[in-house]
Amino acid sequence: MKIIFAALLLLSSGVSANNYQEEVDKFFELYADEKTSDAVDSIYASNKYVSSIPDQVKQIKTQLSSLDDLVGEINFISKVSDYKVGELFVHVTYLVTYDRQPIRFEFQFFKVKEGWRIYSMSFDDNIDEDIKELARKAALKN
């Protein structure tokens, strides 16, 4: 089963987060409490340009809310990686397991004078090929 991919790429400006990890933690805390709309609003709070794309925000909220019906309840939320590009950009990946299957969540933040600002957030279930490739590379190293 393929889940709809959702992402918002945003312009910079607005309020920023002092610590991107705290923003991700807050997102998952709200999301796990079934406060999906609040979770999405929370993760995009550091970027004032979100208000200029309300249809995309509504779409991501709808898609994220529909996951329960498609994949069941959340079992575990686990950080997979924290990839930094110098000191200015970070790509954070999480794996969330549900009753039926895992879903990958990815968050991108960039640094501004005031702290960190969300650049994008996405989720998808297209992780099987990525995991196969990583496993094969690891096997070749042994």
Side-chain angles (χ1 to χ4, degrees):
M1 171 170 73
K2 296 297 175 192
I3 301 298
I4 298 172
F5 176 81
L8 295 174
L9 297 177
L10 304 169
L11 302 172
S12 67
S13 193
V15 178
S16 57
N18 289 328
N19 182 330
Y20 64 85
Q21 187 59 56
E22 289 175 5
E23 296 301 310
V24 174
D25 292 344
K26 184 176 178 183
F27 169 84
F28 279 120
E29 181 180 317
L30 291 166
Y31 179 59
D33 286 341
E34 298 180 4
K35 298 177 182 173
T36 304
S37 183
D38 292 341
V40 173
D41 290 341
S42 171
I43 199 67
Y44 286 116
S46 69
N47 197 316
K48 74 176 185 179
Y49 286 100
V50 171
S51 62
S52 68
I53 52 171
D55 291 341
Q56 291 177 350
V57 173
K58 184 178 179 181
Q59 181 181 10
I60 199 168
K61 287 177 181 181
T62 301
Q63 291 172 346
L64 199 52
S65 293
S66 69
L67 276 181
D68 282 351
D69 294 336
L70 296 172
V71 295
E73 293 183 20
I74 295 173
N75 289 288
F76 296 99
I77 298 171
S78 179
K79 186 175 185 178
V80 175
S81 71
D82 196 343
Y83 181 77
K84 294 181 181 175
V85 180
E87 298 293 319
L88 302 177
F89 195 89
V90 65
H91 182 104
V92 185
T93 304
Y94 274 75
L95 193 62
V96 179
T97 59
Y98 296 81
D99 292 334
R100 182 175 178 162
Q101 69 184 70
I103 302 291
R104 172 179 40 201
F105 283 76
E106 297 176 297
F107 303 86
Q108 294 180 337
F109 293 86
F110 62 102
K111 196 166 193 176
V112 294
K113 291 178 186 176
E114 302 84 23
W116 291 92
R117 184 164 297 141
I118 187 73
Y119 181 65
S120 72
M121 188 275 281
S122 63
F123 59 94
D124 68 270
D125 70 341
N126 299 318
I127 58 174
D128 53 337
E129 289 302 317
D130 293 344
I131 291 172
K132 284 180 193 176
E133 183 179 334
L134 289 170
R136 289 174 180 152
K137 285 180 182 179
L140 290 175
K141 291 181 182 178
N142 293 333

